[in-house]
Amino acid sequence: MDISVVVPLYNEEESLPELAQWIHRVMEANGFSYEIIFVNDGSTDRSMEVIRRLAKENEAIHAISFSRNYGKSPALNEGFRRAQGDVVITMDADLQDSPDEIPELYRMITEDGYDLVSGWKKKRYDPLSKTIPTKLFNATARKVSGIRNLHDFNCGLKAYRNAVVKHIEVYGDMHRYIPYLAKNAGYRKIGEKVVHHQARKYGHTKFGLDRFVNGYLDLATLWFQSKFGIKPMHIFGLLGSAMFMIGFLAVLTVLILKLVAMNSDTFHFYLTKSVYFYLSLVFMVLGVQFFCTGFIGELITRNSPERNKYQIGEEW
Ligand code: UDP
Ligand code: MG
């Protein structure tokens, strides 16, 4: 099979018929063999009925339906597990992404050799409150992930080589950083294609402003995981040692000052009035705590089934 189209959806009943028809039209025109996997993320409207009706008319249509709303990432993850096409395309259900982009995305994966091609909504039809923070968000994501050539990490329209989707795990809200996940899994040929974007035709957006706060926190988590995920002691040990050293120097300073004061008639030194006394307390305690956190982290990674899982590119 050439292409699997994975569509996560949450209450998108109005858009589905048009989307399914449009995808079908593009696939027919280009002679692709394909499947559409609708992943219903616990919709409370009639989305599932609509999909059942559409599947009766087109046997390329399949569905996975969650019994409650888990989020876009889990929906994509389940769609990825199921996808059989050589190229896997993800696309939002709200008709903001255009199926007309599929042939070129397919070509970039199969002919240009990209592992992942992300859409770039260069001209966006979204409110300003969304587009400006998005620019900041993408700049940070570029810096942290080291994927310098992407402008739009969170574009719903993306194409993947099949192996890529089988080797990444999208959980929580990590769908925003799939290129980073792919890079961490060893897939480094990541490209971009400018795509047409349209205003939402039906329904309303499913993500609020908390997306930006959570987005940044998730980015921090991913960065930490990719850097220190299997060797937490390297960060906690370093921080712990540095703090303990500062604390130790402060202790030495207090002791020396105390000794000098004891042998002097004019110089009075009150331990508890000295800033070094407090510095020594705080930093030594913090240092030990960081160190212990490092040890606990090491014990946790030691027990992780992932600790010795590597992506092997070639083997002779
Ligand atoms: N979506 C989902 N589960 C959710 C939220 C959203 O499957 O919990 C789907 C939604 O139906 C749509 C896609 O994810 O197909 C993108 O959502 P939306 O259009 O609301 O995001 P925006 O375009 O505003 O970033
Ligand atoms: Mg949308």
Side-chain angles (χ1 to χ4, degrees), residues 12 92-96 126 130 197-198 200 204-206:
E12 310 278 5
D92 289 353
D94 54 3
L95 295 168
Q96 290 196 271
D126 276 322
K130 199 151 130 189
H197 186 236
Q198 301 164 85
R200 216 180 214 282
H204 56 85
T205 176
K206 308 298 184 306

